[in-house]
Amino acid sequence: MTTYDFIVIGGGRAGFSALAPVAASGERTALIDHGAIGGLCSLNGCNPKKVLVRSSEVVEELSNAHRFGVDVAGMHAEWGRVIDRKETFTGGVTEQSEQMLREMGTDLIHGAPRFIGQDRLVVGDEEYHARAFVIATGSIPRPLDFSGAEHVRSTDDILALRTVPKHLVCIGAGVVAFEFAQVFARLGSRVTILARDPALAGVEEELAAALLDYSRELGIEVVSVESVAEVRDGGGEYAVAYLSGETSAEIVADFVLNAAGRVASLEGLDLDAADVRTDAHGVVVTPYLRSVSNGAVFAAGDAHGRMQLSPVATYEGFIVARNYLEGDAEMADYRVIPRAIYTIPALASVGITEADARRQGIVPTVVSSDMKEWKVVAIAGAELARAKVLIDAESDAILGAHLLGPSSAELIHLFAMAMRFNITATQLRTMQYAYPTVASTIPSMLG
């Protein structure tokens, strides 16, 4: 049996940010992972997806160049070259991550771990003991429970796709569905989204509806369904049968994407043996990110399922390290987390929605803006631009901001900074902005 002070299971953002401070303190550390390390975001998530989105943004700009007095003839996307560019960002990630571990003095153990007690686990035939463990195993695509689900592909597959599908079907209507739907619709694919739940559920309703309408204008079909019955392999094409209302229907596609969300990746860990309680979201943790049932085990990132965002995983990893080294010194705080959906235009948010406010019994001042005709936005040539800001009527604090339009994924950080550091709506409104920039519209967004 080999003994460590601190063992992390999972080689992504959460695991590395937890390891770094602990290893630097002189503790004996190890990282266990059964696959390539580097994390979902770097290998098959945020970064490579944004490369594809950026290529589709260029297609969008060139397709509309005539509106700016520019003629572009013969423009076409060579998708294989787009994927080659994407791989310049993902290639080498694992090697760089392994080098980081060597520099930290952390041992890398390859294999699938399984707990055999509250303070020990096995990898293959080797047993390992530690004073603390961190479950940072990330997430996997939500399993689908209909016949032929094995024919439905993951985001890993679509990020490696070297030909543009003729017909893309997305099962699910959340962030991933709309991001990939817009990318491929702009490249000429027919795209169908099968939505069992409301499209973009949890997003500010007014802006979600505007993005949904705009996506339909791009030719994306969004179909409300009760269920998907089966997917049949037709030899290069797939028949997707579904129930919509009381009507059974079927569509044929050459690529079917699982866009039904992700769940914590905990299979094979035998958490019962470690007395680690789980629920439908993942490991059940305290505000200090410790297991509620085994204080020697922490969880960070998607493994506990509170908020599946890469920056949150990194943030939580640092909290875990501090609480391990100092003894429950910091609780995780999720009140000001900016997030973005990388459609074109992007939809970015921070804080609560109007629906959240109603549920919490809050009656905020709501400033809703259609910005399409505003001069700065019109100069940018945006076809869609909206904003919705919620302000506390008594304190003048910004409670939530939701932006859909040019530069929204960057502008949202000004609202997040204001919320984080108690800058009031009046202070943000009266600040001087360079003109004509999209940021100079912020005073108008605040009413």
Side-chain angles (χ1 to χ4, degrees), residues 13-338:
R13 298 285 181 91
F16 269 80
S17 60
L19 271 171
V22 176
S25 75
E27 301 268 296
R28 190 180 185 199
T29 58
L31 184 145
I32 304 173
D33 203 307
H34 66 277
I37 64 171
L40 174 68
C41 184
S42 296
L43 292 170
N44 287 298
C46 329
N47 291 352
K49 176 190 68 181
K50 192 66 182 295
V51 174
L52 270 57
V53 170
R54 178 60 190 139
S55 291
S56 69
E57 286 175 340
V58 173
V59 169
E60 173 78 359
E61 290 163 5
L62 293 176
S63 298
N64 290 286
H66 63 280
R67 295 172 51 212
F68 299 86
V70 179
D71 290 328
V72 179
M75 184 274 295
H76 69 285
E78 297 181 16
W79 197 246
R81 291 178 61 190
V82 173
I83 299 302
D84 288 341
R85 179 172 185 263
K86 181 266 298 184
E87 290 179 352
T88 66
F89 292 88
T90 57
V93 167
T94 295
E95 291 77 7
Q96 293 162 9
S97 300
E98 291 176 351
Q99 178 62 28
M100 288 173 61
L101 291 180
R102 287 191 289 271
E103 292 172 358
M104 286 192 288
T106 295
D107 292 340
L108 174 59
I109 301 168
H110 285 290
R114 176 175 57 84
F115 280 97
I116 56 172
Q118 291 191 347
D119 60 356
R120 65 197 64 224
L121 51 73
V122 293
V123 179
D125 296 327
E126 296 295 322
E127 183 175 333
Y128 300 92
H129 169 272
R131 291 198 294 129
F133 295 87
V134 183
I135 300 172
T137 46
S139 59
I140 57 173
R142 185 179 302 280
L144 303 173
D145 60 358
F146 49 76
S147 175
E150 67 273 14
H151 302 309
V152 181
R153 313 293 291 277
S154 71
T155 52
D156 293 10
D157 300 315
I158 203 167
L159 284 166
L161 192 61
R162 287 190 167 270
T163 57
V164 176
K166 295 176 182 176
H167 187 182
L168 167 66
V169 169
C170 299
I171 297 177
V175 172
V176 167
F178 278 86
E179 289 177 336
F180 282 110
Q182 284 211 6
V183 165
F184 287 103
R186 285 185 167 87
L187 296 170
S189 297
R190 178 188 171 194
V191 181
T192 304
I193 295 174
L194 301 181
R196 190 173 67 175
D197 299 316
L200 298 169
V203 177
E204 174 57 52
E205 295 171 4
E206 183 180 324
L207 272 62
L211 181 57
L212 176 59
D213 289 343
Y214 183 63
S215 298
R216 284 178 165 141
E217 290 174 12
L218 293 175
I220 297 167
E221 184 181 15
V222 182
V223 181
S224 295
V225 302
E226 272 65 53
S227 63
V228 174
E230 66 173 339
V231 176
R232 299 192 310 276
D233 184 359
E237 292 187 325
Y238 301 92
V240 183
Y242 60 91
L243 180 66
S244 180
E246 297 182 356
T247 304
S248 296
E250 186 173 286
I251 49 177
V252 176
D254 52 335
F255 196 100
V256 185
L257 175 66
N258 180 353
R262 300 180 68 87
V263 297
S265 178
L266 303 175
E267 187 175 359
L269 290 176
D270 195 2
L271 295 178
D272 287 342
D275 190 26
V276 173
R277 190 186 309 166
T278 62
D279 62 13
H281 302 289
V283 177
V284 182
V285 293
T286 71
Y288 299 97
L289 302 180
R290 288 184 189 268
S291 162
V292 296
S293 50
N294 180 353
V297 175
F298 295 86
D302 293 1
H304 64 71
R306 287 188 179 184
M307 189 174 285
Q308 295 178 340
L309 295 170
S310 176
V312 172
T314 301
Y315 163 70
E316 290 181 341
F318 286 123
I319 288 177
V320 165
R322 184 181 181 196
N323 289 337
Y324 166 73
L325 293 169
E326 300 179 24
D328 288 357
E330 183 176 356
M331 293 189 291
D333 182 356
Y334 304 102
R335 290 174 297 175
V336 184
I337 305 290

